[in-house]
Amino acid sequence: MKRRPGGTTHLSISLPTEEAKMLRRRARRIYDGNVSRVVSDAIRYIAYEEGRDALITSFRGKGKPTPAEAAQLDHAWSLVAKKSA
Protein backbone atom coordinates (compact mmCIF):
# COMPACT_ATOMS: atom_id res chain seq x y z
CA MET A 1 0.00 0.00 0.00
CA LYS A 2 1.38 3.44 -0.87
CA ARG A 3 1.99 5.89 1.95
CA ARG A 4 -0.38 8.80 2.40
CA PRO A 5 0.89 12.34 2.65
CA GLY A 6 0.73 13.76 6.16
CA GLY A 7 0.37 11.82 9.35
CA THR A 8 -1.99 8.91 9.78
CA THR A 9 -2.97 6.75 12.72
CA HIS A 10 -4.00 3.14 12.50
CA LEU A 11 -7.08 2.28 14.54
CA SER A 12 -8.57 -1.05 15.43
CA ILE A 13 -12.30 -0.88 16.16
CA SER A 14 -15.03 -3.39 16.83
CA LEU A 15 -18.38 -2.93 15.11
CA PRO A 16 -21.54 -4.95 14.92
CA THR A 17 -21.36 -7.21 11.86
CA GLU A 18 -24.14 -5.40 9.99
CA GLU A 19 -22.47 -2.01 10.47
CA ALA A 20 -19.15 -3.37 9.19
CA LYS A 21 -20.93 -4.82 6.14
CA MET A 22 -22.57 -1.45 5.53
CA LEU A 23 -19.17 0.30 5.61
CA ARG A 24 -17.68 -2.21 3.19
CA ARG A 25 -20.66 -1.96 0.80
CA ARG A 26 -20.40 1.82 0.73
CA ALA A 27 -16.62 1.63 0.29
CA ARG A 28 -17.00 -0.70 -2.70
CA ARG A 29 -19.75 1.44 -4.21
CA ILE A 30 -18.11 4.84 -3.82
CA TYR A 31 -14.37 4.50 -3.11
CA ASP A 32 -13.19 1.37 -4.89
CA GLY A 33 -13.24 -0.55 -1.59
CA ASN A 34 -11.41 2.00 0.57
CA VAL A 35 -13.13 1.75 3.97
CA SER A 36 -10.89 4.48 5.43
CA ARG A 37 -12.41 7.00 3.00
CA VAL A 38 -15.90 6.10 4.22
CA VAL A 39 -14.81 6.58 7.83
CA SER A 40 -13.19 9.91 6.88
CA ASP A 41 -16.47 11.04 5.32
CA ALA A 42 -18.29 10.17 8.53
CA ILE A 43 -15.72 12.05 10.60
CA ARG A 44 -16.05 15.15 8.39
CA TYR A 45 -19.81 15.06 8.89
CA ILE A 46 -19.36 14.74 12.66
CA ALA A 47 -16.92 17.69 12.59
CA TYR A 48 -19.53 19.72 10.68
CA GLU A 49 -22.17 18.89 13.30
CA GLU A 50 -19.80 19.80 16.14
CA GLY A 51 -19.01 23.13 14.48
CA ARG A 52 -22.67 23.82 13.81
CA ASP A 53 -23.57 23.01 17.42
CA ALA A 54 -20.77 25.30 18.69
CA LEU A 55 -22.04 28.11 16.46
CA ILE A 56 -25.60 27.65 17.70
CA THR A 57 -24.38 27.59 21.29
CA SER A 58 -22.54 30.86 20.69
CA PHE A 59 -25.93 32.46 19.99
CA ARG A 60 -27.01 31.39 23.50
CA GLY A 61 -30.16 29.71 22.22
CA LYS A 62 -31.32 32.73 20.23
CA GLY A 63 -30.99 31.00 16.88
CA LYS A 64 -31.58 27.28 17.27
CA PRO A 65 -32.88 25.87 13.96
CA THR A 66 -35.83 23.54 13.78
CA PRO A 67 -35.15 20.04 12.40
CA ALA A 68 -36.56 21.18 9.04
CA GLU A 69 -34.28 24.24 9.03
CA ALA A 70 -31.27 22.10 9.93
CA ALA A 71 -32.10 19.74 7.05
CA GLN A 72 -32.36 22.75 4.74
CA LEU A 73 -28.89 23.92 5.86
CA ASP A 74 -27.48 20.43 5.31
CA HIS A 75 -28.84 20.46 1.77
CA ALA A 76 -27.66 24.03 1.07
CA TRP A 77 -24.17 23.21 2.33
CA SER A 78 -24.05 20.01 0.22
CA LEU A 79 -23.98 17.72 3.24
CA VAL A 80 -26.78 15.50 1.99
CA ALA A 81 -25.47 12.21 0.61
CA LYS A 82 -25.40 12.15 -3.15
CA LYS A 83 -27.03 9.19 -4.85
CA SER A 84 -24.55 6.99 -6.65
CA ALA A 85 -25.17 5.03 -9.81
Side-chain angles (χ1 to χ4, degrees), residues 64-82:
K64 186 167 182 159
T66 65
E69 290 169 331
Q72 227 176 359
L73 289 172
D74 288 348
H75 184 74
W77 294 343
S78 299
L79 293 167
V80 177
K82 295 177 177 77

Side-chain angles (χ1 to χ4, degrees), residues 47-76:
Y48 152 76
E49 284 187 330
E50 292 292 320
R52 182 190 65 197
D53 293 347
L55 178 63
I56 291 167
T57 299
S58 75
F59 294 137
R60 295 187 175 94
K62 295 177 186 168
K64 186 167 182 159
T66 65
E69 290 169 331
Q72 227 176 359
L73 289 172
D74 288 348
H75 184 74

Side-chain angles (χ1 to χ4, degrees), residues 4-80:
R4 294 183 190 134
T8 62
T9 299
H10 180 224
L11 298 175
S12 175
I13 61 172
S14 297
L15 297 170
T17 302
E18 287 306 310
E19 290 179 6
K21 286 179 182 178
M22 180 184 59
L23 283 174
R24 287 188 191 104
R25 277 193 307 268
R26 186 170 178 86
R28 280 192 300 270
R29 190 177 79 235
I30 298 174
Y31 296 119
D32 199 29
N34 188 334
V35 174
S36 292
R37 297 262 325 254
V38 177
V39 172
S40 290
D41 282 352
I43 291 168
R44 276 191 293 280
Y45 186 77
I46 291 167
Y48 152 76
E49 284 187 330
E50 292 292 320
R52 182 190 65 197
D53 293 347
L55 178 63
I56 291 167
T57 299
S58 75
F59 294 137
R60 295 187 175 94
K62 295 177 186 168
K64 186 167 182 159
T66 65
E69 290 169 331
Q72 227 176 359
L73 289 172
D74 288 348
H75 184 74
W77 294 343
S78 299
L79 293 167
V80 177

